[in-house]
Amino acid sequence: MAKNGTSNYISNHFVVEHFNREYSDIHSGKIFRRYEQDGLGKQRYLLTNPGIITTDDLPEKWGFLEMTSSGVLRVVRESEFFEYNKEDEMKILLSVIRRMKGE
């Protein structure tokens, strides 16, 4: 999983995850969009190692996952559904398909 985040297509919508190792990464302001409709992902999660943040550090609606020392993901808080940029999601999907086809 990339530090800057990844998108996974699950059932009929994207789920965006951001993995952060340090507290300062989370509070840099680069992860959370001011206007949720500009972002990607109908659901959005932050994934950290245990003890880095608490649910109080997250904006409303964001889900929170922790990676345990044994490599198991633990759901701390489920994500609510966001307004999102469907057009940009389609562009990403088309880009991935083109790369897979070798274009």
XYZ file of all heavy atoms in Angstrom:
854
model
N 0.843 -1.172 0.000
C 0.000 0.000 0.000
C 0.890 1.238 0.000
O 1.822 1.343 0.771
C -0.885 -0.022 1.239
C -1.889 1.076 1.263
S -2.970 0.980 2.699
C -3.513 -0.697 2.606
N 0.601 2.169 -0.843
C 1.405 3.374 -0.967
C 1.140 4.317 0.203
O 0.028 4.404 0.701
C 1.082 4.081 -2.276
N 2.168 5.059 0.596
C 2.024 5.984 1.711
C 0.993 7.065 1.399
O 0.258 7.497 2.258
C 3.373 6.626 2.029
C 3.294 7.583 3.201
C 4.640 8.119 3.542
C 4.526 9.101 4.683
N 5.769 9.700 5.044
N 0.938 7.514 0.157
C 0.034 8.593 -0.206
C -1.389 8.140 -0.455
O -2.238 8.936 -0.777
C 0.554 9.323 -1.446
C 1.843 10.044 -1.140
O 2.074 10.436 -0.021
N 2.670 10.192 -2.130
N -1.637 6.862 -0.342
C -3.000 6.381 -0.460
C -3.204 5.510 -1.682
O -2.482 5.595 -2.650
N -4.182 4.673 -1.602
C -4.537 3.817 -2.716
C -6.045 3.809 -2.825
O -6.745 4.191 -1.908
C -4.054 2.372 -2.501
O -4.659 1.864 -1.311
C -2.551 2.296 -2.411
N -6.522 3.379 -3.968
C -7.956 3.230 -4.158
C -8.243 1.781 -4.489
O -7.554 1.190 -5.306
C -8.444 4.113 -5.307
O -8.254 5.458 -5.004
N -9.232 1.234 -3.891
C -9.661 -0.128 -4.176
C -11.101 -0.093 -4.636
O -11.923 0.598 -4.045
C -9.574 -1.005 -2.921
C -8.155 -1.226 -2.513
O -7.295 -1.422 -3.351
N -7.901 -1.176 -1.231
N -11.400 -0.859 -5.693
C -12.769 -0.943 -6.173
C -13.439 -2.107 -5.461
O -13.038 -3.245 -5.611
C -12.796 -1.146 -7.687
C -14.160 -1.001 -8.267
C -14.738 0.257 -8.394
C -14.895 -2.107 -8.657
C -16.006 0.402 -8.915
C -16.169 -1.972 -9.186
C -16.714 -0.709 -9.313
O -17.971 -0.574 -9.830
N -14.412 -1.806 -4.631
C -15.110 -2.831 -3.865
C -16.591 -2.731 -4.201
O -17.180 -1.667 -4.088
C -14.893 -2.631 -2.354
C -13.414 -2.773 -2.036
C -15.728 -3.604 -1.555
C -13.069 -2.509 -0.604
N -17.175 -3.835 -4.581
C -18.561 -3.927 -5.043
C -18.829 -2.861 -6.090
O -18.289 -2.935 -7.169
C -19.548 -3.890 -3.871
O -19.588 -2.628 -3.255
N -19.595 -1.830 -5.780
C -19.930 -0.857 -6.810
C -19.385 0.538 -6.525
O -19.894 1.505 -7.052
C -21.446 -0.796 -6.980
C -22.134 -0.288 -5.725
O -21.512 -0.193 -4.679
N -23.401 0.023 -5.828
N -18.352 0.645 -5.697
C -17.788 1.965 -5.455
C -16.338 1.873 -4.973
O -15.880 0.844 -4.525
C -18.629 2.751 -4.450
C -18.701 2.155 -3.084
N -19.629 1.196 -2.749
C -17.974 2.383 -1.968
C -19.470 0.860 -1.477
N -18.462 1.564 -0.994
N -15.637 2.992 -5.104
C -14.258 3.094 -4.641
C -14.211 3.283 -3.138
O -15.047 3.965 -2.561
C -13.565 4.315 -5.256
C -12.940 4.065 -6.575
C -13.601 4.408 -7.739
C -11.673 3.518 -6.666
C -13.018 4.201 -8.967
C -11.083 3.310 -7.889
C -11.755 3.651 -9.047
N -13.189 2.711 -2.540
C -12.856 2.971 -1.147
C -11.434 3.508 -1.163
O -10.529 2.865 -1.685
C -12.934 1.687 -0.287
C -12.456 1.977 1.125
C -14.347 1.141 -0.282
N -11.235 4.701 -0.638
C -9.912 5.317 -0.632
C -9.286 5.127 0.741
O -9.918 5.371 1.773
C -10.008 6.821 -0.967
C -8.651 7.496 -0.868
C -10.576 7.009 -2.371
N -8.025 4.670 0.736
C -7.295 4.454 1.977
C -6.028 5.298 1.954
O -5.399 5.433 0.924
C -6.884 2.986 2.111
C -8.021 2.017 2.004
C -7.594 0.717 1.373
O -6.449 0.612 0.917
O -8.421 -0.194 1.333
N -5.675 5.839 3.087
C -4.410 6.555 3.242
C -3.655 5.879 4.375
O -4.195 5.689 5.460
C -4.644 8.026 3.595
C -5.187 8.822 2.466
N -4.391 9.334 1.479
C -6.451 9.165 2.153
C -5.149 9.978 0.616
N -6.410 9.890 1.004
N -2.390 5.532 4.103
C -1.560 4.918 5.139
C -0.558 5.946 5.629
O 0.155 6.563 4.838
C -0.816 3.696 4.598
C 0.090 3.078 5.611
C -0.436 2.430 6.717
C 1.459 3.165 5.477
C 0.396 1.863 7.672
C 2.301 2.599 6.423
C 1.762 1.949 7.521
N -0.512 6.152 6.921
C 0.415 7.104 7.506
C 1.143 6.477 8.675
O 0.539 5.804 9.506
C -0.329 8.356 7.974
C -0.869 9.124 6.795
O -1.966 8.860 6.342
N -0.100 10.034 6.272
N 2.436 6.730 8.708
C 3.281 6.180 9.762
C 3.497 7.148 10.915
O 3.870 6.743 11.999
C 4.638 5.793 9.183
C 4.565 4.710 8.148
C 5.945 4.473 7.555
N 5.872 3.614 6.408
C 5.925 2.292 6.442
N 6.050 1.681 7.590
N 5.856 1.584 5.350
N 3.315 8.436 10.651
C 3.626 9.432 11.670
C 2.445 10.374 11.892
O 1.709 10.700 10.967
C 4.849 10.247 11.257
C 6.096 9.410 11.098
C 7.276 10.214 10.608
O 7.192 11.453 10.563
O 8.296 9.603 10.280
N 2.348 10.861 13.101
C 1.299 11.803 13.475
C 1.351 13.057 12.617
O 0.333 13.567 12.183
C 1.457 12.135 14.958
C 0.358 12.984 15.532
C -0.827 12.393 15.962
C 0.496 14.351 15.653
C -1.852 13.160 16.506
C -0.521 15.128 16.196
C -1.687 14.522 16.617
O -2.694 15.274 17.150
N 2.556 13.555 12.321
C 2.701 14.793 11.540
C 2.155 14.637 10.122
O 1.669 15.596 9.526
C 4.160 15.233 11.497
O 4.950 14.239 10.875
N 2.223 13.432 9.547
C 1.664 13.193 8.209
C 0.163 13.466 8.203
O -0.383 14.027 7.256
C 1.873 11.738 7.770
C 3.320 11.400 7.482
O 4.120 12.335 7.291
O 3.634 10.202 7.443
N -0.504 13.073 9.249
C -1.955 13.194 9.324
C -2.369 14.648 9.473
O -3.351 15.093 8.898
C -2.484 12.343 10.498
C -2.193 10.876 10.192
C -3.965 12.586 10.738
C -2.140 9.999 11.389
N -1.600 15.417 10.203
C -1.960 16.805 10.477
C -1.316 17.797 9.508
O -1.395 18.990 9.723
C -1.633 17.153 11.929
C -2.553 16.447 12.869
N -3.838 16.865 13.103
C -2.399 15.311 13.580
C -4.426 16.038 13.924
N -3.581 15.080 14.238
N -0.759 17.300 8.410
C -0.173 18.198 7.413
C -1.243 18.882 6.576
O -0.968 19.843 5.881
C 0.774 17.415 6.492
O 0.027 16.497 5.706
N -2.468 18.368 6.631
C -3.558 18.964 5.877
C -3.654 18.492 4.441
O -4.499 18.926 3.683
N -2.785 17.591 4.030
C -2.765 17.142 2.638
C -3.734 16.000 2.365
O -4.053 15.726 1.220
C -1.350 16.716 2.255
C -0.371 17.861 2.289
C 1.020 17.400 1.942
C 1.988 18.567 2.032
N 3.357 18.148 1.818
N -4.188 15.318 3.375
C -5.040 14.152 3.183
C -6.505 14.545 3.051
O -7.203 14.085 2.173
C -4.889 13.180 4.370
C -3.475 12.645 4.441
C -5.884 12.037 4.253
C -3.222 11.825 5.676
N -6.962 15.396 3.932
C -8.377 15.684 4.037
C -8.757 16.870 3.163
O -8.184 17.940 3.266
C -8.744 15.947 5.496
C -8.242 14.869 6.419
C -7.270 15.136 7.365
C -8.733 13.583 6.321
C -6.808 14.143 8.213
C -8.271 12.574 7.158
C -7.314 12.858 8.098
N -9.734 16.683 2.310
C -10.209 17.728 1.408
C -11.126 18.696 2.142
O -11.911 18.308 2.996
C -10.985 17.109 0.256
C -10.157 16.196 -0.580
C -10.117 16.722 -1.963
N -9.274 15.866 -2.777
C -8.384 16.347 -3.604
N -8.198 17.627 -3.723
N -7.668 15.534 -4.332
N -11.023 19.965 1.754
C -11.915 20.968 2.330
C -13.353 20.718 1.887
O -14.288 20.866 2.648
C -11.454 22.350 1.911
C -12.252 23.453 2.531
C -11.673 24.791 2.240
N -12.457 25.811 2.886
C -12.228 27.081 2.765
N -11.217 27.508 2.040
N -12.979 27.954 3.368
N -13.512 20.348 0.614
C -14.830 20.059 0.062
C -14.864 18.587 -0.320
O -14.191 18.169 -1.255
C -15.119 20.940 -1.150
C -14.997 22.410 -0.832
C -13.917 23.159 -1.283
C -15.965 23.052 -0.056
C -13.802 24.507 -0.972
C -15.859 24.393 0.260
C -14.772 25.115 -0.206
O -14.665 26.437 0.118
N -15.658 17.808 0.392
C -15.653 16.360 0.199
C -15.977 15.948 -1.227
O -15.480 14.942 -1.713
C -16.595 15.672 1.174
C -18.058 15.878 0.915
C -18.928 15.125 1.897
O -18.766 15.306 3.116
O -19.789 14.366 1.434
N -16.781 16.727 -1.950
C -17.171 16.353 -3.309
C -16.008 16.449 -4.295
O -16.098 15.934 -5.406
C -18.368 17.189 -3.795
C -18.086 18.658 -3.976
C -18.281 19.492 -2.715
O -18.387 18.960 -1.610
N -18.318 20.799 -2.868
N -14.903 17.072 -3.915
C -13.716 17.145 -4.780
C -12.847 15.899 -4.638
O -11.935 15.691 -5.422
C -12.871 18.381 -4.453
C -13.570 19.671 -4.822
O -14.484 19.633 -5.679
O -13.205 20.715 -4.257
N -13.087 15.099 -3.635
C -12.249 13.936 -3.373
C -12.723 12.694 -4.098
O -13.786 12.663 -4.727
N -11.921 11.665 -4.012
C -12.253 10.371 -4.592
C -12.681 9.424 -3.481
O -12.227 9.526 -2.349
C -11.038 9.787 -5.317
C -10.466 10.611 -6.458
C -9.255 9.916 -7.034
C -11.507 10.851 -7.525
N -13.519 8.498 -3.840
C -13.929 7.469 -2.894
C -15.239 7.774 -2.206
O -15.389 8.821 -1.590
N -16.153 6.863 -2.338
C -17.436 6.983 -1.646
C -17.241 6.744 -0.152
O -18.002 7.226 0.668
C -18.408 5.959 -2.231
C -19.850 6.316 -2.103
C -20.708 5.260 -2.765
C -21.663 5.873 -3.738
N -22.591 4.895 -4.296
N -16.212 5.960 0.177
C -15.815 5.767 1.567
C -14.327 6.060 1.662
O -13.560 5.773 0.742
C -16.083 4.341 2.025
C -17.554 4.027 2.173
C -17.757 2.610 2.639
O -17.590 1.686 1.859
N -18.107 2.454 3.904
N -13.895 6.624 2.792
C -12.496 7.012 2.973
C -12.018 6.552 4.348
O -12.694 6.739 5.352
C -12.342 8.521 2.828
C -12.789 8.965 1.446
C -12.859 10.437 1.302
N -13.568 10.746 0.047
C -13.984 11.937 -0.296
N -13.755 12.972 0.494
N -14.622 12.124 -1.422
N -10.836 5.944 4.339
C -10.254 5.392 5.569
C -8.830 5.883 5.745
O -8.096 6.057 4.778
C -10.216 3.862 5.511
C -11.546 3.205 5.692
C -12.373 2.973 4.605
C -11.977 2.813 6.952
C -13.608 2.364 4.769
C -13.209 2.198 7.125
C -14.013 1.982 6.035
O -15.238 1.382 6.196
N -8.436 6.049 6.985
C -7.049 6.293 7.336
C -6.540 5.034 8.018
O -7.201 4.495 8.914
C -6.934 7.484 8.286
C -5.512 7.936 8.566
C -4.918 8.585 7.319
C -5.473 8.915 9.705
N -5.383 4.551 7.571
C -4.763 3.344 8.122
C -3.452 3.731 8.772
O -2.615 4.382 8.139
C -4.524 2.331 6.990
C -3.659 1.120 7.300
C -4.304 0.249 8.357
C -3.399 0.326 6.028
N -3.276 3.369 10.031
C -2.031 3.667 10.746
C -1.602 2.452 11.549
O -2.347 1.497 11.720
C -2.187 4.847 11.735
O -3.024 4.451 12.809
C -2.740 6.086 11.066
N -0.396 2.555 12.061
C 0.061 1.599 13.063
C -0.614 1.979 14.384
O -0.989 3.135 14.582
C 1.579 1.657 13.200
C 2.269 1.141 11.955
O 1.824 0.196 11.330
N 3.357 1.787 11.579
N -0.779 1.047 15.298
C -1.451 1.345 16.570
C -0.758 2.466 17.348
O 0.466 2.594 17.333
C -1.359 0.026 17.350
C -1.220 -1.020 16.302
C -0.418 -0.367 15.202
N -1.576 3.288 18.009
C -1.057 4.306 18.916
C -0.677 5.627 18.282
O -0.265 6.541 18.987
N -0.804 5.777 16.971
C -0.401 7.029 16.327
C -1.473 8.097 16.468
O -1.169 9.252 16.749
C -0.040 6.800 14.849
C 1.215 5.930 14.774
C 0.173 8.122 14.120
C 1.676 5.602 13.391
N -2.733 7.721 16.267
C -3.829 8.677 16.403
C -4.998 8.017 17.131
O -5.000 6.817 17.363
C -4.323 9.201 15.037
C -4.945 8.068 14.203
C -3.222 9.915 14.278
C -5.734 8.548 13.018
N -5.990 8.828 17.427
C -7.257 8.329 17.959
C -8.362 8.794 17.011
O -8.127 9.622 16.125
C -7.541 8.879 19.373
O -7.785 10.287 19.273
C -6.389 8.605 20.322
N -9.563 8.311 17.213
C -10.671 8.732 16.361
C -10.948 10.228 16.494
O -11.481 10.842 15.578
C -11.958 7.944 16.683
O -12.236 8.054 18.070
C -11.804 6.483 16.295
N -10.546 10.830 17.597
C -10.727 12.275 17.781
C -9.887 13.089 16.805
O -10.176 14.258 16.553
C -10.362 12.688 19.213
C -11.322 12.111 20.240
O -12.477 11.808 19.866
O -10.904 11.944 21.395
N -8.828 12.490 16.243
C -7.951 13.184 15.305
C -8.513 13.214 13.881
O -7.971 13.904 13.019
C -6.567 12.513 15.251
C -5.831 12.637 16.566
O -5.814 13.750 17.131
O -5.268 11.623 17.025
N -9.562 12.466 13.620
C -10.108 12.352 12.270
C -11.257 13.318 12.030
O -12.028 13.608 12.944
C -10.638 10.939 12.033
C -9.624 9.817 12.025
C -10.349 8.491 11.887
C -8.637 9.997 10.899
N -11.383 13.782 10.777
C -12.567 14.564 10.431
C -13.820 13.692 10.477
O -13.722 12.457 10.455
C -12.304 15.000 8.986
C -10.873 14.768 8.730
C -10.447 13.683 9.669
N -14.971 14.330 10.504
C -16.224 13.586 10.465
C -16.269 12.698 9.236
O -15.677 13.017 8.208
C -17.404 14.557 10.418
C -17.624 15.317 11.696
C -18.854 16.199 11.599
O -19.881 15.740 11.061
O -18.765 17.343 12.054
N -16.948 11.614 9.338
C -17.209 10.652 8.271
C -16.050 9.704 7.965
O -16.261 8.641 7.418
C -17.635 11.334 6.962
C -18.952 12.050 7.027
C -19.306 12.514 5.626
C -20.690 13.063 5.533
N -21.027 13.400 4.153
N -14.800 10.084 8.248
C -13.665 9.231 7.904
C -13.650 7.978 8.773
O -13.897 8.027 9.969
C -12.348 9.979 8.091
C -11.970 10.776 6.894
C -12.529 11.961 6.485
C -10.979 10.456 5.932
N -11.939 12.381 5.335
C -10.973 11.482 4.968
C -10.081 9.400 5.793
C -10.114 11.484 3.879
C -9.212 9.402 4.709
C -9.241 10.437 3.763
N -13.319 6.850 8.133
C -13.124 5.610 8.853
C -11.681 5.498 9.310
O -10.799 6.221 8.844
N -11.429 4.580 10.221
C -10.102 4.447 10.817
C -9.768 2.967 10.951
O -10.532 2.192 11.509
C -10.124 5.152 12.174
C -8.853 5.101 12.965
C -7.609 5.009 12.354
C -8.892 5.162 14.342
C -6.445 4.973 13.100
C -7.734 5.131 15.108
C -6.521 5.036 14.473
N -8.618 2.591 10.388
C -8.112 1.222 10.463
C -6.741 1.240 11.115
O -5.956 2.165 10.906
C -7.963 0.623 9.056
C -9.168 0.652 8.134
C -8.763 0.225 6.724
C -10.262 -0.249 8.663
N -6.436 0.208 11.892
C -5.087 0.044 12.452
C -4.535 -1.303 12.005
O -5.262 -2.285 11.923
C -5.117 0.076 13.981
C -5.265 1.447 14.557
C -5.156 1.453 16.075
O -5.424 0.418 16.723
O -4.805 2.508 16.599
N -3.236 -1.319 11.725
C -2.531 -2.548 11.376
C -1.870 -3.073 12.633
O -1.015 -2.413 13.217
C -1.471 -2.269 10.306
C -0.653 -3.476 9.916
S -1.546 -4.668 8.929
C -1.674 -3.795 7.397
N -2.287 -4.238 13.084
C -1.712 -4.807 14.303
C -0.307 -5.339 14.020
O 0.092 -5.488 12.864
C -2.588 -5.953 14.851
O -2.553 -7.035 13.929
C -4.018 -5.491 15.080
N 0.431 -5.647 15.066
C 1.797 -6.155 14.902
C 1.818 -7.493 14.168
O 2.812 -7.843 13.544
C 2.483 -6.290 16.263
O 1.726 -7.146 17.098
N 0.709 -8.218 14.192
C 0.644 -9.496 13.471
C 0.176 -9.320 12.028
O -0.004 -10.288 11.305
C -0.281 -10.465 14.206
O -1.580 -9.926 14.287
N -0.031 -8.051 11.615
C -0.414 -7.783 10.231
C -1.902 -7.844 9.953
O -2.327 -7.834 8.812
N -2.709 -7.875 10.994
C -4.156 -7.939 10.842
C -4.727 -6.519 10.878
O -4.337 -5.705 11.710
C -4.789 -8.792 11.969
C -6.298 -8.762 11.905
C -4.259 -10.212 11.915
N -5.649 -6.218 9.951
C -6.321 -4.921 9.979
C -7.448 -4.951 10.997
O -8.259 -5.864 11.011
C -6.923 -4.596 8.610
C -5.985 -4.109 7.541
C -6.762 -3.829 6.263
C -5.243 -2.872 7.975
N -7.476 -3.922 11.818
C -8.537 -3.798 12.823
C -9.352 -2.550 12.494
O -8.793 -1.454 12.334
C -7.927 -3.664 14.208
C -8.950 -3.590 15.323
C -8.276 -3.636 16.684
N -7.690 -2.361 17.054
C -8.329 -1.397 17.711
N -9.586 -1.547 18.054
N -7.715 -0.276 18.023
N -10.654 -2.708 12.336
C -11.528 -1.575 12.064
C -11.822 -0.876 13.390
O -12.448 -1.454 14.274
C -12.849 -2.012 11.398
C -13.758 -0.811 11.174
C -12.569 -2.740 10.092
N -11.339 0.361 13.498
C -11.581 1.148 14.704
C -12.877 1.940 14.542
O -13.670 2.044 15.470
C -10.395 2.098 14.988
C -10.655 2.943 16.220
C -9.103 1.305 15.125
N -13.072 2.491 13.345
C -14.302 3.232 13.045
C -14.639 3.060 11.570
O -13.776 3.227 10.715
C -14.120 4.715 13.369
C -15.385 5.544 13.131
C -15.255 6.938 13.673
N -14.688 7.831 12.681
C -14.362 9.102 12.924
N -14.527 9.617 14.118
N -13.860 9.850 11.977
N -15.890 2.728 11.286
C -16.353 2.591 9.907
C -16.475 3.971 9.253
O -16.813 4.942 9.921
C -17.729 1.914 9.856
C -17.706 0.453 10.193
C -17.161 -0.411 9.073
O -17.072 0.050 7.921
O -16.822 -1.564 9.366
N -16.225 4.013 7.951
C -16.408 5.242 7.194
C -17.877 5.436 6.861
O -18.591 4.477 6.564
C -15.619 5.167 5.881
O -15.935 6.249 5.037
N -18.308 6.679 6.910
C -19.627 7.011 6.388
C -19.465 7.232 4.881
O -18.353 7.210 4.355
C -20.161 8.273 7.067
C -20.416 8.077 8.554
C -20.925 9.337 9.223
O -21.600 10.149 8.546
O -20.637 9.513 10.408
N -20.563 7.471 4.173
C -20.492 7.708 2.739
C -20.308 9.190 2.451
O -20.914 10.037 3.087
C -21.740 7.163 2.040
C -21.780 5.668 2.021
C -22.495 4.962 2.966
C -21.073 4.965 1.059
C -22.518 3.575 2.960
C -21.083 3.574 1.043
C -21.809 2.890 1.994
N -19.449 9.471 1.459
C -19.111 10.828 1.056
C -19.736 11.168 -0.286
O -19.969 10.296 -1.114
C -17.589 10.957 0.868
C -16.804 11.016 2.130
C -16.468 9.857 2.819
C -16.369 12.222 2.628
C -15.718 9.903 3.976
C -15.626 12.286 3.781
C -15.299 11.121 4.458
N -19.930 12.466 -0.525
C -20.099 12.931 -1.901
C -18.712 12.791 -2.512
O -17.703 12.969 -1.826
C -20.513 14.399 -1.924
C -21.898 14.668 -1.419
C -22.230 16.141 -1.536
O -22.015 16.720 -2.623
O -22.673 16.704 -0.528
N -18.632 12.491 -3.803
C -17.317 12.258 -4.389
C -17.303 12.647 -5.853
O -18.341 12.895 -6.454
C -16.902 10.798 -4.206
C -17.802 9.813 -4.924
C -17.393 9.217 -6.111
C -19.055 9.495 -4.434
C -18.219 8.327 -6.778
C -19.882 8.605 -5.086
C -19.461 8.028 -6.255
O -20.271 7.159 -6.921
N -16.105 12.700 -6.424
C -15.902 13.126 -7.797
C -15.930 11.900 -8.718
O -14.898 11.299 -8.997
C -14.575 13.873 -7.910
C -14.413 14.543 -9.236
O -14.941 14.098 -10.246
N -13.668 15.629 -9.239
N -17.105 11.549 -9.194
C -17.284 10.352 -10.003
C -16.520 10.449 -11.335
O -15.969 9.463 -11.812
C -18.768 10.121 -10.266
C -19.095 8.762 -10.780
C -20.592 8.532 -10.762
C -20.890 7.082 -11.000
N -22.300 6.776 -10.801
N -16.457 11.638 -11.908
C -15.749 11.827 -13.182
C -14.262 11.496 -13.039
O -13.688 10.799 -13.877
C -15.926 13.258 -13.680
C -15.307 13.505 -15.035
C -15.556 14.916 -15.527
O -16.674 15.424 -15.317
O -14.632 15.492 -16.115
N -13.632 11.969 -11.988
C -12.211 11.668 -11.773
C -11.991 10.187 -11.491
O -10.981 9.617 -11.898
C -11.631 12.515 -10.644
C -11.292 13.929 -11.093
O -11.413 14.222 -12.307
O -10.905 14.742 -10.242
N -12.925 9.545 -10.792
C -12.804 8.103 -10.569
C -12.830 7.344 -11.890
O -12.069 6.406 -12.093
C -13.920 7.597 -9.652
C -13.701 7.940 -8.213
C -14.693 7.258 -7.287
O -15.533 6.464 -7.762
O -14.612 7.524 -6.078
N -13.706 7.754 -12.800
C -13.784 7.098 -14.109
C -12.488 7.291 -14.889
O -12.010 6.374 -15.556
C -14.974 7.630 -14.903
C -16.317 7.255 -14.307
S -16.547 5.473 -14.104
C -16.599 4.942 -15.786
N -11.897 8.474 -14.790
C -10.617 8.734 -15.468
C -9.530 7.796 -14.941
O -8.723 7.276 -15.703
C -10.198 10.185 -15.270
C -11.025 11.170 -16.057
C -10.592 12.596 -15.763
C -11.490 13.602 -16.442
N -11.130 14.981 -16.086
N -9.507 7.584 -13.639
C -8.515 6.681 -13.047
C -8.743 5.257 -13.539
O -7.799 4.562 -13.921
C -8.570 6.748 -11.502
C -8.038 8.082 -11.026
C -7.788 5.592 -10.880
C -8.264 8.343 -9.557
N -9.993 4.810 -13.537
C -10.292 3.461 -14.023
C -9.876 3.280 -15.477
O -9.272 2.268 -15.837
C -11.786 3.165 -13.880
C -12.274 2.770 -12.506
C -13.796 2.667 -12.487
C -11.659 1.465 -12.068
N -10.172 4.257 -16.313
C -9.777 4.176 -17.721
C -8.261 4.156 -17.874
O -7.721 3.432 -18.708
C -10.390 5.324 -18.513
C -11.906 5.245 -18.676
C -12.440 6.527 -19.317
C -12.302 4.032 -19.493
N -7.567 4.931 -17.065
C -6.111 4.947 -17.098
C -5.540 3.579 -16.721
O -4.601 3.082 -17.363
C -5.580 6.021 -16.147
O -4.186 5.980 -16.061
N -6.103 2.958 -15.699
C -5.647 1.631 -15.273
C -5.902 0.602 -16.371
O -5.040 -0.225 -16.684
C -6.351 1.216 -13.954
C -6.110 -0.245 -13.639
C -5.885 2.095 -12.807
N -7.068 0.660 -16.987
C -7.394 -0.281 -18.068
C -6.428 -0.118 -19.232
O -5.930 -1.100 -19.788
C -8.858 -0.095 -18.523
C -9.800 -0.570 -17.412
C -9.132 -0.847 -19.828
C -11.252 -0.165 -17.621
N -6.122 1.137 -19.602
C -5.165 1.378 -20.692
C -3.790 0.802 -20.358
O -3.131 0.202 -21.195
C -5.052 2.876 -20.977
C -6.157 3.429 -21.847
C -5.820 4.815 -22.381
N -5.576 5.786 -21.327
C -6.506 6.547 -20.748
N -7.760 6.421 -21.101
N -6.188 7.399 -19.822
N -3.362 0.990 -19.132
C -2.041 0.461 -18.727
C -2.020 -1.049 -18.774
O -1.033 -1.666 -19.156
C -1.683 0.951 -17.338
C -1.347 2.420 -17.296
C -1.020 2.848 -15.903
N -0.981 4.301 -15.845
C -0.772 4.990 -14.755
N -0.600 4.345 -13.611
N -0.750 6.282 -14.771
N -3.123 -1.669 -18.353
C -3.205 -3.129 -18.368
C -3.188 -3.667 -19.791
O -2.658 -4.746 -20.044
C -4.463 -3.593 -17.627
C -4.382 -3.360 -16.129
S -5.916 -3.722 -15.263
C -6.016 -5.486 -15.486
N -3.747 -2.906 -20.712
C -3.771 -3.324 -22.111
C -2.457 -2.990 -22.810
O -2.259 -3.369 -23.958
C -4.933 -2.648 -22.832
C -6.296 -3.161 -22.374
C -7.424 -2.370 -22.985
C -7.684 -2.847 -24.394
N -8.852 -2.183 -25.002
N -1.583 -2.255 -22.138
C -0.280 -1.907 -22.711
C -0.307 -0.736 -23.660
O 0.576 -0.588 -24.504
N -1.297 0.116 -23.565
C -1.383 1.289 -24.454
C -0.539 2.433 -23.942
O -0.286 2.602 -22.823
C -2.844 1.748 -24.574
C -3.700 0.723 -25.284
C -5.145 1.175 -25.387
O -5.449 2.367 -25.180
O -5.992 0.325 -25.674
